[in-house]
Amino acid sequence: MSQSYISHWKSPSNIALVKYWGKKENQIPANPSISFTLDNALTETSVEAKFQENQNGILIDFLFEGIKNNSFKTKIESFLSIVQNEYKWLNSYHLTINSSNTFPHSSGIASSASAFSALALCLVNLDEKINNTIYPNFYEKASYWARLGSGSACRSVYGGINLWGKTNSYPNSSDEFSIEISKDVHPIYTDFNDHILIIEKGKKSVSSTQGHALLKQHPFAEIRYQTAKENTEKLISILKTDNLDDFIQLVESEALMLHSLMMTSATPFILMKPNTLSVIEKIWEYRREKNVPILFTLDAGANVHLLSPKSQQMQVDNFVKTELIQYCQDNQYLHNSVGKGPEKQV
Ligand code: DP6
């Protein structure tokens, strides 16, 4: 008997507004975080699972953009070794995984969120097929597994605005998976643009995983976790109104705090580049002079995410093309909006 099943998903990246930085065992976050799901930075993954009579353990072939990639393969194998604690079938099915990104993988855009969310969606879907069942909490399960691949990936299984991490200010919030909170948010925020300004392509000098670890001994760790908890609570209430001043203040402060933590850890590191600062200055100047509600955030890298309501799109596009593009490597930027979340492919 030869059984084979296939699952195929496209899943987006996300950008955090309140940052996840610091974690406990099993990828449990030290504080809650909130993000926008993006629409144009996607990973497309298909997983074909073929039953093999004498297989005894995880066995995968992994192709990234059609080419074997051993470093990604190793990461996926260690992720699957966690998932197989529950999905025992992984030990008797040979997986062929094909993955590709819609954004240039040299662009310095974090791809672990889209990659692990796409893979987790495929695995939960295969589990349904193999067990001939349908999970009413399909996305929650996918978010749970995605978290164990890469923390921020758990926020990518839903569209709109996501909350990951237990907070008293939101019912059903959890450290183990993310929930979508768009229905409790003023529509202005689900209609935001994110121009990702590529200041520097290529691999970061310090990975997010190393950065999280450095927080363990950080002198400001406890105050950071407390501040992030408070910022999550504040942002949940800010998001209910269209008061963009409070939104701007909080989101920019989160981005700068993230990078301050990097600079003040026992092994300090700086991921911002001179052009990161030039772009931030330009954004501040533009906001001051034109009174247009634009803001920036940063992830763990040099690139700048320029956030703006879609109502300002013409002006902001023009600002990017005339004033900011000169700071981008190879004049490169990626246009994203808040997106609708992953899509199953037929
Ligand atoms: C700065 O999710 O990439 O982007 O859980 O170790 O895979 P791991 O880390 P990762 O960390 C993301 C850090 C961040 C902030 C955020 O996305 O919340």
Side-chain angles (χ1 to χ4, degrees), residues 16 19-21 23 27 112 150-152 155 208-209 212 258 300:
K19 308 293 179 183
Y20 148 60
W21 200 239
K23 56 177 150 179
Q27 217 93 294
S112 70
S150 177
S152 57
R155 297 186 311 239
S208 296
T209 306
H212 287 288
L258 170 73

Side-chain angles (χ1 to χ4, degrees), residues 14-21 23 27 33-35 110 112-113 116 147 149-153 155 164 204 207-210 212 258-259 262 298-301:
N14 67 79
I15 179 70
L17 305 169
V18 173
K19 308 293 179 183
Y20 148 60
W21 200 239
K23 56 177 150 179
Q27 217 93 294
S33 56
I34 296 182
S35 58
S112 70
F116 278 104
R147 177 194 107 237
S150 177
S152 57
R155 297 186 311 239
W164 167 37
K204 293 174 287 193
S207 72
S208 296
T209 306
Q210 290 166 311
H212 287 288
L258 170 73
H259 284 258
M262 297 173 187
L298 306 166
D299 59 16

